[in-house]
Amino acid sequence: MATYYLAVDMGASSGRHILGHMEDGKMILEEVHRFENGMVDKDGELCWEYDRIFKEVIVGLKKCKELGKIPVSMAVDTWGVDFVLLDKDEKVIGNTVGYRDHRTDGMDEEVYKIVPQEELYERTGIQKAIFNTVYQLMAIKKQHPEYLEQAETLLYVPDYFHFLLTGQKTNEYTEATTGNLVNALTRDYDYEVIDKLGYPRKIFQKLIMPGTSIGRFSEKIKEEVGFDLDVIAPASHDTGSAVLAVPANDDDFIYISSGTWSLMGLERTTPETSKRSCELNLTNEGGYNNTYRYLKNIMGLWMIQSVRHEVNDMYSFAQICSMAEEAKDFPSRVDANDECFLSPKNMTEEVKDYCRRTGQQVPETMGELATVIYTSLAECYAKTAKELEEMTGRTYSRICVVGGGSNAGYLNELTAKATGKKVEAGPGEATAIGNITAQMLKSGEFQSIPEARTIIHESFDIKTYEA
């Protein structure tokens, strides 16, 4: 009988349960459940539906039982920065607001009045993004101070699901670093910053490292799903898991974890919190095995996903890629990192309006829109590669693209052309693979990260695009 490990991988638009096991020296994946995700409007705020999502987590666990493939362990990974506050009765306080909500508008200035931007960066090494937890907590402090008074516990999203499964309250390190409140050097919460900003110390849990066992199912969950297992903390920030799955053991590459967001960067053993790094808005998020993900957050395929939704998903991503290729001579470009694309009412109109505002030709067809977005993304990748090379004082010969975006062949071609580097694309399921890899490292299926990465390289298709 195979030994199964379950990754519950939640993205901003969908979640899925993926079982992994080893067979003839290769990692085999099987998707057992998939569900929709997305923010919904609640009382004028963009919120996640955690109650509904958790029901889907349970449905997926029951499906494993039906298949007769009961995993020995499981782990949840999600996006970063978002969290819930629990009161003394372990009830969620307020709405479960998501990072695209506008409650944080202006909260950066409120934070900088107390802790200047450069100091915050020097201490935490985290790039400025208006949705970081540090600004979300300031929004709560200003708009709902009573929530912070009632709060006993802060749990990031994957921590919250791990809590619902086990009853254990933890904050996993890679996820916590995205919040801008963890000290880059000590790898612990920066309580000096937390105290200055007036956030209650007690709500922050002891940080645990990926690979830590959180506990087993609570009696209630065990009864509901009909089995028990070990719940492990993976690199619970999805990018942390995706980077663990990059199928390379040298250091001559830049990775792009490509999905709703494109996270482009390097794996390092020391943080870089200099003034120049702050100016370039590069970030030092926590990685597996005490590494740092030195990277830049780029808007990513969110723009294409949004444009596709606006025509009721009538085209597949592959069709959109070929339409973009047909319109490849369309000349206009946008700044893929402009905040206007973070949460517009209508992405299609926002792209057109940007071109209009900047005196460029306005895209009209789906192909023209897609070409503008893909080409702009590739140019943004090229600029970011130069910044990473400036900061490290060296050049890199190739780019490893992992995650869903590794399947966007046209974008990979454009990336190779724009950066002048070879692009190696795959695996597409990098986040789930990284999640499962953390569990397999814990159980001893793999003896080391290099061994795991070699097996990942041999188990999944990697496509090459020459510059």
Side-chain angles (χ1 to χ4, degrees), residues 269-457:
T269 52
T270 53
E272 170 63 70
T273 62
S274 65
K275 191 176 176 196
R276 179 64 180 144
S277 186
C278 180
E279 283 165 8
L280 293 173
N281 213 23
L282 290 160
T283 198
N284 297 266
E285 293 172 356
Y288 188 90
N289 196 31
N290 293 323
T291 53
Y292 294 89
R293 293 173 281 129
Y294 187 53
L295 59 83
K296 178 167 273 192
N297 255 310
I298 298 165
M299 204 66 77
L301 295 175
W302 156 250
M303 295 172 76
I304 283 285
Q305 290 164 353
S306 302
V307 165
R308 180 173 173 259
H309 281 328
E310 284 155 13
V311 290
N312 299 319
D313 299 342
M314 66 194 285
Y315 306 112
S316 71
F317 288 115
Q319 286 173 309
I320 292 172
C321 266
S322 38
M323 286 189 262
E325 208 161 348
E326 279 168 34
K328 67 174 184 285
D329 295 328
F330 194 79
S332 303
R333 304 284 181 269
V334 298
D335 174 2
N337 266 353
D338 193 299
E339 281 195 4
C340 67
F341 300 121
L342 181 64
S343 193
K345 286 200 164 43
N346 183 296
M347 186 66 78
T348 305
E349 288 311 314
E350 198 64 49
V351 173
K352 289 181 175 183
D353 194 44
Y354 186 100
C355 293
R356 220 174 273 123
R357 285 198 312 269
T358 50
Q360 303 182 81
Q361 196 177 331
V362 177
E364 296 300 339
T365 65
M366 174 56 89
E368 287 171 354
L369 271 166
T371 260
V372 169
I373 292 169
Y374 282 137
T375 314
S376 300
L377 265 180
E379 288 181 3
C380 193
Y381 295 161
K383 183 169 174 277
T384 303
K386 283 198 168 67
E387 292 170 353
L388 290 163
E389 290 178 336
E390 176 197 331
M391 291 309 300
T392 52
R394 58 172 290 190
T395 53
Y396 298 87
S397 68
R398 70 190 196 284
I399 292 176
C400 295
V401 182
V402 298
S406 65
N407 300 315
Y410 180 54
L411 177 57
N412 295 331
E413 281 170 32
L414 290 173
T415 302
K417 204 160 78 181
T419 59
K421 299 179 193 300
K422 183 165 82 171
V423 170
E424 292 175 357
E429 293 291 358
T431 303
I433 293 165
N435 178 320
I436 288 163
T437 298
Q439 298 178 58
M440 287 185 168
L441 281 161
K442 171 97 172 103
S443 74
E445 291 259 9
F446 300 135
Q447 299 309 309
S448 66
I449 295 171
E451 182 198 343
R453 284 176 164 162
T454 300
I455 285 172
I456 290 165
H457 194 278

Side-chain angles (χ1 to χ4, degrees), residues 115-184:
V115 181
Q117 183 176 359
E118 262 185 34
E119 185 192 334
L120 188 63
Y121 186 84
E122 203 180 316
R123 298 178 78 113
T124 65
I126 298 298
Q127 74 172 90
K128 180 189 173 177
I130 193 61
F131 46 69
N132 288 350
T133 314
V134 68
Y135 309 120
Q136 291 200 43
L137 284 169
M138 184 57 75
I140 291 173
K141 188 180 160 190
K142 294 284 177 194
Q143 297 152 19
H144 291 285
E146 70 282 8
Y147 290 178
L148 284 184
E149 281 161 29
Q150 295 161 27
E152 289 290 326
T153 311
L154 177 145
L155 297 176
Y156 286 96
V157 181
D159 303 326
Y160 180 55
F161 288 114
H162 288 144
F163 162 70
L164 292 176
L165 290 165
T166 65
Q168 301 300 316
K169 296 171 189 162
T170 55
N171 287 169
E172 188 276 320
Y173 166 69
T174 67
E175 178 78 8
T177 60
T178 67
N180 219 349
L181 290 163
V182 173
N183 186 290

